[in-house]
Amino acid sequence: MSLSKSFLILGALYLLVGLSFGIFMGATQEFDLAPVHAHINLVGFTLMTLFGIVYRIIPGLAETTLAKVHFWLFQIGAFFLLVLLFALLSRMGPEATLGPIMAVAEVVVLASIVAFLVNLWQKA
Ligand code: HEM
């Protein structure tokens, strides 16, 4: 599967989860986890869909090692970021433990965006 399609398919899967989360919040009138819903939709769906479109329309952008680095770091970082945000806001563990792990996930996501930026700089 192409990098672009992988981003688009995974984005749509995150949208499915994010929307279900939103519907569940509305049905239960329980809005404490609204930031988790928002981040699943925005980081999971909106960003990944944008990446999928960018890799589709710029020739050669998806063929580089930097593109693969961007894809994998973003998948790993974003997944852990969302799971940890959920754990943090639903008080599944102490903030002192979850916070530093979350910081690692944030740095991984940031590193993926650096790879994206350098790739764009060189190829776009
Ligand atoms: C079936 C579709 C959706 C449903 C049922 C839904 C439901 C909700 C609900 C119930 C809330 C909480 C409102 C409150 O706190 O009073 C919310 C907040 C929010 N939603 Fe959605 N939503 C949907 C789609 C989306 C999409 C597609 C996005 C973005 C791409 C999005 C982004 C947000 C944001 C940014 C917030 C505010 C979060 C916060 O206050 O921390 N939602 N949504």
Side-chain angles (χ1 to χ4, degrees):
M1 197 187 295
S2 71
L3 198 80
S4 164
K5 187 169 177 179
S6 303
F7 265 128
L8 292 170
I9 298 283
L10 284 164
L13 284 174
Y14 273 102
L15 182 61
L16 210 61
V17 177
L19 294 194
S20 305
F21 210 103
I23 292 167
F24 178 77
M25 283 194 310
T28 56
Q29 293 292 294
E30 178 58 70
F31 302 122
D32 288 357
L33 296 179
V36 180
H37 155 79
H39 282 82
I40 294 172
N41 283 331
L42 294 169
V43 177
F45 169 66
T46 312
L47 274 185
M48 288 202 209
T49 301
L50 269 176
F51 293 145
I53 295 168
V54 168
Y55 281 111
R56 183 65 60 99
I57 63 175
I58 299 178
L61 194 70
E63 315 309 324
T64 65
T65 304
L66 278 173
K68 289 176 187 65
V69 170
H70 169 220
F71 178 82
W72 284 109
L73 287 185
F74 193 82
Q75 294 312 323
I76 295 163
F79 177 78
F80 281 104
L81 196 74
L82 296 171
V83 170
L84 287 162
L85 185 62
F86 175 81
L88 201 69
L89 295 182
S90 42
R91 294 180 177 79
M92 283 172 126
E95 205 174 324
T97 312
L98 294 173
I101 310 173
M102 200 157 161
V104 175
E106 287 162 11
V107 171
V108 172
V109 171
L110 206 67
S112 84
I113 302 305
V114 172
F116 180 54
L117 177 64
V118 175
N119 197 22
L120 277 176
W121 187 267
Q122 291 174 348
K123 291 274 168 189

